[in-house]
Amino acid sequence: MSCINQESDTFRLFTAVNRVRRAWRSIAPSKEISKAQFATLMTIAHGGKPPHEGKAFNQPMPLSVLANLQEQSLPGISQRITTLEKLGYVERVANPHDRRVSAVQLTPVGTQLLEEACACVKQKLDAALETMGREKLDTLLFLLEDLTCALENMTSDETQEK
C-alpha cells in the first residue's frame, strides 16, 4: 500500500522536486570540485551573503561561522576545508579578531577556480532558463519563494512547539 496516492498533488510535487534534484547533478560547477565544495568556496568568498550584495570579497572566515552558514557540523566543515586546502584552493589564516580561532580564505588559485566555476554554472543555468521564457521563469521563482516560505514557517512553528 502506498503512503501517498500517485494522483495527489503531494506525490506530484515530491516527484517533480526529485526530478529537479537529479537533473541538478548535471550542473557541475567544475571537474575539480563538487557542488558542496563549490558552495563552501562561494560562502568563503562572499562572507555568506549573496554575491550581488557587494560583500567584501574573500575575507578570512572563522570555521565556526562557515559551519553555521552552511548548516554543517564543525568536524564536517573542517574535513571539507582540509580537502580544499590540500587541493590548494583555501588556506588557514590567523583570525584577525581572535588568534585562538582558525579562519580560512581562498588562495589565488581558489579564487580563479571559483570564477571559472561560477561562469560555467551561469552558462548552463542561463541556457536552461532561456528555454522557459521570462514569464514562466518569473512565475517559477515567485512560486518557489512561496513554497520555501511555507516550509520554513512550518519548520519554525515545529521548533517553537518543542
Side-chain angles (χ1 to χ4, degrees):
M1 180 172 177
S2 174
C3 65
I4 300 175
N5 179 330
Q6 292 188 7
E7 310 276 321
S8 73
D9 292 338
T10 304
F11 182 79
R12 290 176 56 215
L13 177 61
F14 184 84
T15 302
V17 170
N18 197 42
R19 285 183 62 205
V20 168
R21 183 187 56 79
R22 281 185 275 141
W24 190 255
R25 290 181 192 150
S26 69
I27 308 295
S30 166
K31 292 176 184 167
E32 289 84 25
I33 57 172
S34 69
K35 280 185 273 211
Q37 291 168 330
F38 173 74
T40 298
L41 294 177
M42 285 288 290
T43 301
I44 294 167
H46 298 285
K49 303 284 184 190
H52 66 274
E53 287 189 5
K55 175 76 176 166
F57 188 79
N58 195 27
Q59 298 298 309
M61 179 177 285
L63 285 179
S64 59
V65 171
L66 179 60
N68 186 46
L69 287 169
Q70 295 220 279
E71 298 179 358
Q72 299 253 313
S73 68
L74 191 54
I77 205 71
S78 183
Q79 184 177 20
R80 184 174 305 149
I81 290 300
T82 297
T83 300
L84 289 168
E85 191 175 28
K86 287 177 184 174
L87 293 169
Y89 301 135
V90 299
E91 62 187 350
R92 294 177 196 257
V93 296
N95 184 324
H97 306 293
D98 186 348
R99 301 264 181 215
R100 299 168 294 161
V101 177
S102 180
V104 292
Q105 67 182 22
L106 300 182
T107 63
V109 173
T111 300
Q112 181 179 350
L113 173 79
L114 182 60
E115 288 173 2
E116 291 169 2
C118 284
C120 178
V121 168
K122 182 180 180 336
Q123 179 185 15
K124 289 176 181 179
L125 286 176
D126 283 350
L129 296 174
E130 188 176 310
T131 66
M132 294 179 67
R134 181 85 249 161
E135 188 174 329
K136 283 184 179 179
L137 176 58
D138 288 343
T139 301
L140 173 65
L141 294 173
F142 176 81
L143 293 173
L144 284 173
E145 180 65 23
D146 266 8
L147 176 61
T148 302
C149 287
L151 291 171
E152 288 172 345
N153 287 338
M154 193 172 69
T155 302
S156 175
D157 292 345
E158 288 173 1
T159 303
Q160 290 175 1
E161 289 175 8
K162 291 178 183 180

